[in-house]
Amino acid sequence: MNRRDALRTGLGAGAAVLFGGGLLGACSSGGGSYSGEGRNAPEGGEEPVVGRANIPTPRDQTLVIGQVDYQVFNSFNIRIPNGVQSGNGFDVMVREYLFYLNLPTGELIPWLATGYEYNADHTTLTFTFDPKAKWSDGQPFTSKDFKFTVDLMRDHSELLGGGGDLKDFVKNVSTPDAQTATLELTRANPRLHYGFICTIASGFDVLPEHVWADKDPTNFRDNPPVRTGPYMLDRAIASQKMFVWKKNPNYWNKEKLDPKPNFVIYQSTAQSQDAASQAFRRAEFDVGSLDEEHAKALRSQSYQNLITTPFHDPCPRALWLNCDPARGIIGDPRMHWVISYVIDRAKVGTTVWPVKTPAAQYPWADYDGNDKWEIAEVASQYKMEYDPAKAASLLDEMGATKGSDGKRMWKGKQASIEIITPSTVDGAEFVIGQLIVGELKKLGLSANIRSYSGSVHSEKWERGEFDISSQWVCNVSWDPNQLYTSLQTRYAKKIGTNAVGRNQVRLRSPRLDQLSSQLDGMDPASPQAKQLLQQALAEYYRTLPVIPVIQTAYPAYYNTTYWKGWPTEDDLYQVPNNWWGQFMFVIGKLEPTGRK
């Protein structure tokens, strides 16, 4: 749970910068090659003992989701620090998005928008909106709401995201009618629509102009939030650390989505994993509140009502390496390969990660849809392999030779590396860092790892006050140039200056700048882009600012006591993660079991 919370805090800044704060959560809860025993309900076995959930609504009408430790209960403004509690359900059932990408199937689902279209040279982008769409207070959703939000995020650099791509690319927004908005761009950009699609966890949050127009966005609490989704805020109960969402009887899109639960509750689970798992066993929670260790125990006891669903996260675990020479030896690209050579990815994937997961060669998820970005010729030249001997040889080549005491010196000082992570000390990202520290010490370097809370880590991360950050890479939701563009030199700040969500590693690569700038104006699937993508991947590997470690496999756990219709391994009809926007469609598929 803590690692997932850290993901929301750390990842949100990186992805949200594109469009001013759309994404506050991302890591998934599925996947892995763990034992298949018990993934489906076992035959026979005793009827599970059901407990009384500590909720203010009828249990058989309520979906109860276990989540992280909540601290913020009276604010829903995602555009300011601590302005909203991540993982509280707001992103899932209240905010809706123009489009949704179903990662398991590859389907693009139009929702608030019915379509988008570029002109021939990709200098305008036009959206059309569903005329039926309405806000939860009954007001119509129109193109003017969209324009208001784009202008707000583009023109207010003090908000989280700092304007992002909207500031870089949007010159003007015109609204010829209530269902049409056209973005006039400063230069060609065939990828601008990416940011308006709910891809990894969340997407662009359109605001109701009639609510926000006279508010100061830097301190408005947006409470209760007015959005277009099938649920509305019923109450937030700080003493019980829960958010109660009730079904909107006047929801605009019932023809396509009419969920059966009258209430959905997101509630903090017990800090003790044993206690949280017991609550799941008693069916006090329908989702969450369980980890793989305790799920194995339930399977061994023939617990009938557990479903375990695999899904690979879109964010491989990764190391981000500071490229600024001011940080010492880590600023040399050869040192980046030293780090890569001391990572035993097979060991990490089989003994460190909670479930077995494969090594990562590329800085993106191993989805079938990403196969087209793989370039075997380049990957074979830059293998992500465990080879401490090569690491030692590279250090010698760099002049970091060992003294009589076995310690390596670099430009007159002992060579040292500090790894930071937002993971807790029992988290896998911390353990990955520990393994690297051990390997570096064997090579004669001074090394250590420190765990920082999400906010402290985020500050160090944005200010470049680290050598290595052990975390994840989530930049490639559509194509590799998303990552390359975010690493352009124009975003590199001095150490100590806030990077504002881009190029936190301070990479300065003229060659990657040139290639990514050319790719910026091309359809990535076009024949013209193929050769440039190959060259860009080679330059990325040469400098290696982000080292892929392993793919990220998480199991998702569901309880079938009160609700059925969950995504399963055999029917993975939608992203199975309860903090992703796409989970709205899972809720829409559920049926009551009849249990009272």
Side-chain angles (χ1 to χ4, degrees):
M1 291 182 292
N2 290 336
R3 182 162 63 250
R4 209 158 60 223
D5 195 39
L7 263 165
R8 290 195 183 84
T9 304
L11 170 63
V17 70
L18 293 179
F19 292 90
L23 177 58
L24 287 175
C27 260
S28 76
S29 169
S33 126
Y34 46 92
S35 169
E37 182 182 356
R39 285 192 189 174
N40 299 315
E43 297 292 333
E46 296 183 0
E47 177 72 10
V49 175
V50 176
R52 182 180 294 276
N54 184 26
I55 60 175
T57 55
R59 182 65 178 95
D60 59 330
Q61 299 177 32
T62 307
L63 177 67
V64 186
I65 298 173
Q67 260 291 345
V68 297
D69 187 25
Y70 296 138
Q71 304 295 330
V72 180
F73 296 91
N74 63 349
S75 177
F76 298 88
N77 184 349
I78 69 170
R79 291 158 172 79
I80 57 176
N82 298 314
V84 68
Q85 176 67 60
S86 58
N88 64 3
F90 173 56
D91 295 6
V92 178
M93 308 164 301
V94 182
R95 291 170 54 186
E96 290 187 311
Y97 308 101
L98 303 188
F99 304 90
Y100 292 82
L101 177 65
N102 184 338
L103 283 171
T105 67
E107 178 190 8
L108 184 66
I109 306 170
W111 206 251
L112 289 174
T114 58
Y116 70 88
E117 184 177 6
Y118 288 95
N119 64 354
D121 61 0
H122 297 97
T123 56
T124 67
L125 171 60
T126 298
F127 290 102
T128 52
F129 304 107
D130 195 316
K132 301 189 305 294
K134 284 184 171 58
W135 299 104
S136 56
D137 62 4
Q139 294 294 313
F141 172 99
T142 73
S143 58
K144 290 190 176 181
D145 296 306
F146 176 80
K147 172 180 170 56
F148 168 79
T149 309
V150 171
D151 289 345
L152 178 77
M153 297 311 304
R154 180 193 62 188
D155 299 337
H156 287 76
S157 59
E158 73 276 17
L159 299 178
L160 289 180
D165 277 0
L166 299 179
K167 182 178 180 180
D168 290 346
F169 288 99
V170 177
K171 182 189 302 182
N172 182 52
V173 184
S174 61
T175 55
D177 59 56
Q179 275 73 55
T180 308
T182 297
L183 305 179
E184 181 185 352
L185 309 186
T186 57
R187 59 187 185 277
N189 185 344
R191 296 174 177 81
L192 194 68
H193 67 287
Y194 289 177
F196 296 98
I197 299 170
C198 178
T199 305
I200 299 179
S202 188
F204 186 72
D205 177 33
V206 181
L207 300 173
E209 182 181 14
H210 65 280
V211 174
W212 280 71
D214 60 348
K215 304 297 190 302
D216 179 351
T218 64
N219 58 37
F220 180 44
R221 292 188 181 277
D222 196 18
N223 183 24
V226 174
R227 294 297 190 278
T228 61
Y231 289 85
M232 305 162 61
L233 181 67
D234 181 69
R235 65 194 108 164
I237 308 175
S239 62
Q240 294 179 251
K241 295 198 170 185
M242 71 168 60
F243 293 83
V244 182
W245 306 98
K246 62 183 177 182
K247 193 172 174 181
N248 179 3
N250 300 312
Y251 176 54
W252 69 276
N253 212 7
K254 282 186 180 180
E255 292 181 4
K256 294 183 179 178
L257 185 74
D258 191 12
K260 300 301 190 298
N262 286 323
F263 300 92
V264 178
I265 288 179
Y266 277 73
Q267 183 175 14
S268 298
T269 56
Q271 291 297 303
S272 162
Q273 188 61 61
D274 287 341
S277 298
Q278 284 301 314
F280 182 92
R281 183 191 185 100
R282 296 190 299 268
E284 295 171 17
F285 290 91
D286 301 300
V287 189
S289 179
L290 195 65
D291 63 3
E292 178 60 18
E293 177 184 353
H294 290 83
K296 287 178 181 176
L298 290 181
R299 295 184 197 115
S300 69
Q301 297 160 14
S302 296
Y303 182 77
Q304 290 180 291
N305 292 3
L306 168 65
I307 290 178
T308 306
T309 301
F311 184 67
H312 269 192
D313 192 77
C315 307
R317 300 303 92 171
L319 304 174
W320 292 73
L321 283 65
N322 205 320
C323 303
D324 197 307
R327 291 297 302 186
I329 194 170
I330 197 66
D332 189 318
R334 292 171 294 182
M335 188 65 201
H336 298 187
W337 277 97
V338 170
I339 301 297
S340 184
Y341 286 138
V342 300
I343 304 171
D344 189 341
R345 292 172 174 80
K347 181 177 181 179
V348 171
T350 55
T351 66
V352 175
W353 202 249
V355 295
K356 186 177 180 181
T357 190
Q361 168 69 40
Y362 299 94
W364 54 75
D366 56 353
Y367 297 144
D368 291 345
N370 284 338
D371 288 352
K372 58 182 173 291
W373 310 123
E374 298 180 2
I375 304 173
E377 176 185 344
V378 177
S380 63
Q381 183 182 353
Y382 296 96
K383 294 179 181 177
M384 300 288 121
E385 58 184 349
Y386 177 60
D387 194 335
K390 281 186 178 179
S393 178
L394 265 179
L395 285 168
D396 292 339
E397 177 187 313
M398 293 167 60
T401 54
K402 284 185 177 181
S404 58
D405 58 358
K407 297 179 180 178
R408 292 185 184 268
M409 305 295 289
W410 168 256
K411 296 185 177 180
K413 297 180 180 179
Q414 184 177 2
S416 63
I417 296 292
E418 181 180 68
I419 303 175
I420 67 171
T421 180
S423 169
T424 54
V425 294
D426 61 344
E429 294 85 2
F430 185 91
V431 178
I432 291 169
Q434 278 185 315
L435 292 176
I436 294 168
V437 165
E439 294 282 354
L440 293 177
K441 287 181 176 179
K442 291 177 188 177
L443 293 172
L445 286 86
S446 172
N448 64 80
I449 178 169
R450 298 182 186 278
S451 169
Y452 292 103
S453 67
S455 59
V456 177
H457 175 273
S458 179
E459 182 175 358
K460 288 183 171 292
W461 166 242
E462 292 290 344
R463 291 168 64 88
E465 294 169 346
F466 65 93
D467 293 329
I468 300 174
S469 183
S470 177
Q471 49 183 82
W472 40 83
V473 54
C474 302
N475 296 61
V476 182
S477 55
W478 289 96
D479 76 82
N481 201 51
Q482 292 176 281
L483 174 61
Y484 307 149
T485 298
S486 73
L487 294 170
Q488 288 180 359
T489 301
R490 62 193 172 115
Y491 301 125
K493 309 289 186 183
K494 293 181 180 179
I495 299 293
T497 302
N498 193 332
V500 198
R502 286 171 167 162
N503 200 358
Q504 293 91 342
V505 294
R506 275 69 180 170
L507 177 67
R508 293 172 175 85
S509 169
R511 179 60 174 155
L512 192 61
D513 291 347
Q514 177 192 2
L515 293 166
S516 63
S517 295
Q518 288 179 265
L519 286 164
D520 275 344
M522 293 183 181
D523 179 343
S526 67
Q528 299 94 319
K530 184 175 181 180
Q531 185 177 7
L532 294 181
L533 283 168
Q534 179 169 340
Q535 295 174 33
L537 182 63
E539 178 62 15
Y540 160 80
Y541 279 138
R542 188 189 70 79
T543 55
L544 203 60
V546 188
I547 302 178
V549 179
I550 56 171
Q551 294 294 330
T552 304
Y554 288 113
Y557 307 103
Y558 307 114
N559 196 306
T560 61
T561 301
Y562 290 99
W563 300 99
K564 61 184 179 180
W566 301 105
T568 64
E569 183 174 16
D570 297 329
D571 184 18
L572 193 61
Y573 59 82
Q574 186 51 269
V575 173
N577 312 315
N578 69 74
W579 58 96
W580 284 44
Q582 291 93 328
F583 199 71
M584 178 179 77
F585 297 105
V586 174
I587 296 173
K589 287 269 287 187
L590 298 179
E591 296 285 343
T593 63
R595 178 72 182 246
K596 297 294 183 181

